[in-house]
Amino acid sequence: MALTLTDQQTAASIVALAGGVGGARLAEGLQQLVGSRLTVIGNVADDTELWGLHISPDLDTVMYTLAGIANEETGWGIAGDTWQSFEMLAHYGAEPWFRLGDRDLATHLLRTDLLRSGATLTEVTTRLARALGVQAHLLPVTNATLRTIVLTNEGELAFQEYFVHRRWQPRLLGLRFEGADQAGLTPAALAALDAAATVVLCPSNPFVSIAPLLAVEPLPARLRVLKAAGVPVVAVSPIVGGQALKGPAAKMFAELGEEPTALAVARRYTDFLSHFLLDVRDADQIDAVRALGLVVGAADTIMLDREGRRRVAAAALALARGAA
């Protein structure tokens, strides 16, 4: 049976925590349902500086997806982009292992210039998203410097070195979030959480997209307060049938000694979570997740197109409101 939302539900303020392809796609589904009533808080711990430019890969993946211009084949960058700038860099003898398309390059050029002029990352992100026609409010979790450092069997690696240059092949031993003790949640993000009727943890990588968000105080504390106040905090599992649909999440679980399952994802969030949506292929885990004290639902969570994104978003919100 198709899931539907009441007018009251769609009018409510929704906050999504998102990063990466899966998170961006669910965020776009939520935007289809509630438009400007959606605020997306994005990860900045994989930001990097390259060729003198400030790059925000997770924010940009979400922004381009919300704007309808994302490259769906690669999961990053802009559809139909060209590569002449980086081809010229290679011609000069550089080794541009982190590739930026020509149109994508404009985003980083303007972001860098605005930041150097004194604008905050929140202000810059808002300007870029509005220029692309994004309806939702896209916010970085912090304006401070926050960086993911990956602890591997080959030593400590900066996130993009591990993820892009090394293609996440070194064995993961752990993670630390450099600057987390000094980074603070932005006033805009705090205000969005204070006004939230529902919070959705998108099906993003728990280790490198969601964990950096939770490393920023007082985000976990705010989520606990919301849960205690009866505000639904619902997560959608990024693990389906023991696999991540995209990226290294399943590999990371295994390398840290844990079976990659929807249940393993739910366990990471039980401190502040009230609801959990897993895929119908993992319905055998419903009782185990429910035993964690969560309200559990199952749906087809594969998001192959815009309709699929809208369907999963509706399922998450329906579960949060007790309509599933």
Side-chain angles (χ1 to χ4, degrees):
M1 183 175 69
L3 291 166
T4 59
L5 300 175
T6 66
D7 289 342
Q8 184 177 7
Q9 286 171 288
T10 56
S13 176
I14 309 297
V15 172
L17 307 183
V21 176
R25 289 176 176 173
L26 182 57
E28 196 272 325
L30 291 167
Q31 181 180 250
Q32 289 185 53
L33 293 175
V34 302
S36 62
R37 293 184 291 277
L38 172 67
T39 296
V40 182
I41 300 176
N43 169 41
V44 300
D46 61 354
D47 283 20
T48 190
E49 287 200 5
L50 186 67
W51 313 111
L53 300 176
H54 184 113
I55 317 295
S56 295
D58 251 8
L59 285 178
D60 289 344
T61 293
V62 174
M63 181 174 71
Y64 293 153
T65 302
L66 291 172
I69 63 172
N71 186 327
E72 300 289 346
E73 293 183 8
T74 62
W76 52 271
I78 297 173
D81 215 342
T82 54
W83 307 95
Q84 294 183 49
S85 294
F86 270 59
E87 288 169 2
M88 195 64 182
L89 280 172
H91 183 76
Y92 284 134
E95 297 181 5
W97 52 266
F98 192 105
R99 289 170 59 82
L100 302 173
D102 296 323
R103 294 169 65 200
D104 186 30
L105 190 60
T107 300
H108 312 308
L109 285 167
L110 183 56
R111 176 190 291 116
T112 304
D113 183 63
L114 292 171
L115 289 172
R116 287 175 180 167
S117 297
T120 66
L121 187 58
T122 295
E123 292 167 340
V124 174
T125 303
T126 297
R127 173 171 171 173
L128 295 172
R130 289 290 170 264
L132 292 177
V134 173
Q135 291 178 277
H137 304 278
L138 177 60
L139 303 173
V141 67
T142 184
N143 289 320
T145 299
L146 177 68
R147 296 292 181 265
T148 296
I149 305 298
V150 187
L151 314 180
T152 78
N153 62 318
E154 299 179 20
E156 292 192 359
L157 300 174
F159 178 74
Q160 297 303 340
E161 172 69 21
Y162 164 80
F163 191 77
V164 177
H165 199 189
R166 307 294 292 279
R167 300 176 185 246
W168 38 277
Q169 290 312 298
R171 182 162 55 87
L172 177 67
L173 302 178
L175 297 159
R176 63 182 175 86
F177 304 111
E178 195 170 76
D181 56 341
Q182 298 178 17
L185 198 62
T186 68
L190 272 171
L193 288 165
D194 286 344
T198 303
V199 177
V200 179
L201 276 71
C202 293
S204 304
N205 185 306
F207 300 100
V208 296
S209 286
I210 298 297
L213 298 176
L214 299 175
V216 178
E217 294 293 346
L219 180 55
R222 298 303 296 176
L223 294 176
R224 289 191 291 270
V225 168
L226 289 170
K227 175 184 176 180
V231 175
V233 182
V234 54
V236 179
S237 177
I239 299 293
V240 176
Q243 298 295 323
L245 297 180
K246 191 173 181 64
K251 177 177 180 285
M252 288 178 162
F253 269 112
E255 290 175 348
L256 293 176
E258 191 168 358
E259 186 178 1
T261 63
L263 174 61
V265 176
R267 284 182 179 137
R268 294 183 63 85
Y269 303 146
T270 49
D271 185 40
F272 53 78
L273 205 65
S274 61
H275 296 68
F276 190 77
L277 182 68
L278 47 70
D279 192 86
V280 290
R281 298 158 186 81
D282 296 317
D284 60 334
Q285 298 173 49
I286 288 178
D287 288 342
V289 175
R290 187 175 289 131
L292 298 175
L294 303 178
V295 177
V296 188
D300 178 359
T301 62
I302 307 299
M303 296 177 285
L304 297 178
D305 51 25
R306 292 188 79 248
E307 178 54 37
R309 298 170 192 180
R310 184 184 181 94
R311 183 193 68 247
V312 178
L317 295 183
L319 176 65
R321 295 302 182 189

